[in-house]
Amino acid sequence: MKPHNLTIYNSLSRNKETFKPIHEDRVGMYVCGPTVYGDGHLGHARPAITFDILFRYLQHLGYKVRYVRNITDVGHLEHDADDGEDKIAKKARIEQLEPMEVVQYYLNRYHRAMDELNVLPPSIEPHASGHIIEQIEYVKSILDSGYAYVSDGSVYFDVPKYNRDHHYGKLSGRNIDELLATTRDLDGQQEKHHPADFALWKKAAPEHIMRWPSPWSDGFPGWHLECSTMGEKYLGETFDIHGGGMDLKFPHHECEIAQSVAHNGHDSVRYWMHNNMITINGQKMGKSLGNFITLDEFFTGSHPLLTQAYSPMTIRFFILQAHYRGTVDFSNEALQASEKALQRMLEGYRRLQNLKPSADSTVDVAPLKQKCYEALDDDLNTPVLLAHLFEACSLVNKINDGTERATQADIDMLRELFDTFLVEILGIRVENAGSESGASNLKPFEDAVDLLLDMRSEAKARKDWATSDLIRDKLAEIGFDVKDTKNGFEWSLKK
């Protein structure tokens, strides 16, 4: 299907740029994954869904995509700093478990939540702890380049020296003077030459559980190092896309750039992409702030801030209704509005499967397909894409009601539109929307309602109005909306 005029907002240039991969038919994409010491929350769902859309769309366009999403299971210290306890080791100590027991438990739960959200698995999911040898070699190379130093068994990146030759801060817009003014020496970090320097390798304290031998000490890699190392290992010295949350721009991604330039002599990433945050009352949702709601709590409605449970597809739809670079503020009202909007979309999809063609047409479906592609090509503008799909829903409803007519070719085009953009690219599951595949686990229930309504139609044909009204009224009592149409009837659950 290539070529396509896909534009991406590049955080490095601060401009939208036409996407041109290094290799004509292949795309290399690296996205920062979770640190697995607790359950995934709504803030974790946003980058997963954002880059799932990109992964799906690039594949739809015909590219072979190698999508690498890492798992941080060592080296991520408290407060994202170079001092303090490892987040996973701390959890292991509190729970009296092995660190990798903590990792596996929460990784299993993260994978289940991603499956619920219909997020496709990446091509490769490397663990930091599985690439210690490569990280040690990477540190050696940076030391050889002169941009790092050994201090009391730890190895630090020399930010001021690097900044004299290159530009440290070009992604985030920060500069060394600002860092000098805002960064204070912290207890236990006197071994740094400069407060802005960051750890490539940390000497492990005697009580530190997770440690590996190295030329400098028994220790562990710095948090930033794993992504530079694993990105290069699986995608090469230069690759197309690096994604993650906006909160990772500094220090994490800034340090990645510096490491890669020090190691290779050039930048590794062509396009940097960052999704914005999920907020609660204007404050970032995060584990460190304690204001998060886990995905399981959303799915079960068990958190005190929730007034009800929300299905995984409602959560996915809620995130897709905002552009990935805009903030999304959580509220029950916003999620309830998304739930209703999703139901309208799925009802339109269900009606579409049962439309009867006419000999002629009063609708023009073809322009909608082009509009949908234009929305995605414009930096993955999912809110505009959804608006076009709602426009298609409106057409379906008018055809269903008899106020518009459509040929079989029109109906087939509408089905292709929904199957391509709603199902394949946006990843919305439609099994319960009455699709022709019959894959719904509610099909027996749906068939029973249809059977009752067929009996009502027969009663109406016999002019047995009492039986017809009785069936309709009883269905209404137990929560069904029944609507007579020119083709017979349709029903839905009351909101």
Side-chain angles (χ1 to χ4, degrees):
M1 188 175 183
K2 306 182 297 288
H4 229 259
N5 192 32
L6 170 62
T7 60
I8 287 174
Y9 183 86
N10 189 342
S11 301
L12 189 59
S13 67
R14 296 168 180 77
N15 284 304
K16 284 185 189 177
E17 299 177 8
T18 301
F19 177 66
K20 293 180 180 176
I22 297 165
H23 304 285
E24 187 179 340
D25 59 343
R26 291 181 285 131
V27 174
M29 180 167 83
Y30 188 102
V31 175
C32 288
T35 302
V36 280
Y37 69 102
D39 277 333
H41 56 70
L42 196 61
H44 294 119
R46 192 166 196 198
I49 290 170
T50 294
F51 294 102
D52 184 54
I53 300 299
L54 180 60
F55 184 34
R56 287 168 178 268
Y57 190 46
L58 289 169
Q59 289 185 113
H60 174 78
L61 294 179
Y63 293 108
K64 183 176 181 181
V65 184
R66 179 175 289 175
Y67 175 16
V68 181
R69 187 183 68 205
N70 69 302
I71 297 297
T72 298
D73 58 0
V74 66
H76 195 170
L77 306 187
E78 294 175 289
H79 315 300
D80 298 348
D82 282 337
D83 201 51
E85 199 168 0
D86 184 291
K87 293 183 178 186
I88 288 162
K90 181 179 181 179
K91 187 80 169 184
R93 177 174 56 76
I94 292 168
E95 301 288 337
Q96 295 186 317
L97 298 168
E98 282 289 328
M100 288 304 143
E101 203 170 356
V102 171
V103 168
Q104 194 64 56
Y105 177 78
Y106 287 110
L107 182 57
N108 290 344
R109 291 174 67 82
Y110 176 76
H111 284 157
R112 280 200 294 274
M114 292 301 106
D115 288 344
E116 290 285 321
L117 291 167
N118 203 21
V119 170
L120 298 175
S123 316
I124 304 173
E125 194 173 57
H127 290 229
S129 65
H131 296 77
I132 300 297
I133 293 170
E134 292 93 335
Q135 292 182 79
I136 289 171
E137 292 304 311
Y138 208 99
V139 174
K140 287 179 183 176
S141 172
I142 295 175
L143 281 166
D144 289 344
S145 74
Y147 291 117
Y149 56 89
V150 181
S151 178
D152 193 26
S154 293
V155 184
Y156 289 96
F157 192 94
D158 191 331
V159 170
K161 184 175 182 182
Y162 172 85
N163 191 61
R164 284 195 292 272
D165 300 331
H166 305 282
H167 180 192
Y168 181 81
K170 64 181 181 180
L171 179 68
S172 60
R174 303 203 184 193
N175 60 52
I176 291 293
D177 293 334
E178 284 178 1
L179 291 170
L180 271 172
T182 59
T183 309
R184 294 195 179 102
D185 283 311
L186 301 173
D187 290 341
Q189 291 193 15
Q190 291 87 349
E191 61 195 32
K192 289 185 181 185
H193 292 177
H194 188 284
D197 294 348
F198 58 89
L200 298 172
W201 184 266
K202 284 287 288 182
K203 180 181 178 181
E207 68 275 9
H208 203 282
I209 308 170
M210 303 170 81
R211 58 173 66 219
W212 290 265
S214 80
W216 316 289
S217 64
D218 280 3
F220 53 92
W223 172 39
H224 314 302
L225 186 65
E226 64 179 280
C227 292
S228 293
T229 304
M230 296 190 296
E232 179 170 323
K233 179 178 175 69
Y234 295 110
L235 299 174
E237 279 193 15
T238 308
F239 55 92
D240 297 299
I241 298 167
H242 193 317
M246 197 170 285
D247 55 325
L248 296 177
K249 268 190 187 180
F250 188 88
H252 188 51
H253 290 162
E254 200 72 75
C255 294
E256 276 191 58
I257 290 173
Q259 289 169 164
S260 299
V261 171
H263 180 262
N264 295 319
H266 58 79
D267 283 25
S268 293
V269 178
R270 297 275 297 278
Y271 302 88
W272 283 91
M273 295 180 69
H274 292 90
N275 64 275
N276 215 320
M277 296 178 293
I278 301 276
T279 56
I280 297 184
N281 300 320
Q283 187 181 40
K284 174 198 164 187
M285 179 182 287
K287 288 179 187 171
S288 58
L289 297 170
N291 65 349
F292 63 94
I293 304 173
T294 71
L295 292 168
D296 276 351
E297 286 170 335
F298 274 106
F299 302 159
T300 60
S302 58
H303 193 281
L305 287 176
L306 299 174
T307 58
Q308 65 178 80
Y310 297 98
S311 73
M313 286 303 98
T314 296
I315 299 296
R316 188 174 178 106
F317 200 81
F318 169 66
I319 287 171
L320 294 175
Q321 281 184 297
H323 191 273
Y324 77 89
R325 287 192 288 113
T327 54
V328 174
D329 198 46
F330 156 79
S331 71
N332 280 284
E333 293 76 17
L335 277 165
Q336 286 160 5
S338 292
E339 186 176 58
K340 289 177 182 175
L342 175 60
Q343 287 309 311
R344 284 202 311 275
M345 184 76 76
L346 293 180
E347 282 171 15
Y349 185 88
R350 177 171 59 81
R351 289 189 183 113
L352 173 58
Q353 311 313 313
N354 301 311
L355 289 185
K356 301 293 189 289
S358 301
D360 62 341
S361 177
T362 59
V363 298
D364 186 8
V365 179
L368 276 174
K369 181 177 180 181
Q370 184 59 31
K371 287 180 182 179
C372 288
Y373 276 120
E374 286 171 359
L376 285 169
D377 285 341
D378 183 17
D379 194 30
L380 303 181
N381 201 326
T382 57
V384 171
L385 172 56
L386 286 172
H388 295 320
L389 289 174
F390 275 117
E391 190 181 340
C393 274
S394 178
L395 270 184
V396 168
N397 292 336
K398 288 173 182 175
I399 296 164
N400 185 67
D401 294 341
T403 56
E404 298 280 9
R405 297 187 305 279
T407 63
Q408 186 63 55
D410 293 322
I411 293 170
D412 290 344
M413 203 179 299
L414 281 167
R415 284 177 180 166
E416 183 194 358
L417 188 81
F418 278 91
D419 288 341
T420 298
F421 294 100
L422 184 67
V423 180
E424 179 192 342
I425 297 171
L426 291 185
I428 298 297
R429 287 197 178 106
V430 296
E431 289 91 340
N432 295 345
S435 65
E436 289 181 318
S437 66
S440 170
N441 57 4
L442 297 178
K443 194 166 190 310
F445 158 83
E446 295 167 350
D447 288 346
V449 178
D450 288 341
L451 177 63
L452 280 170
L453 291 172
D454 283 336
M455 292 168 63
R456 177 173 175 263
S457 296
E458 291 170 8
K460 285 174 70 178
R462 297 193 307 270
K463 301 192 186 312
D464 182 357
W465 309 118
T467 300
S468 169
D469 291 347
L470 178 66
I471 292 172
R472 182 198 62 208
D473 294 345
K474 288 295 182 184
L475 284 171
E477 279 178 27
I478 59 176
F480 293 93
D481 276 325
V482 176
K483 182 180 177 183
D484 293 310
T485 70
K486 71 183 181 89
N487 296 318
F489 61 82
E490 62 179 40
W491 61 267
S492 61
L493 290 170
K494 288 182 178 178
K495 306 283 193 298

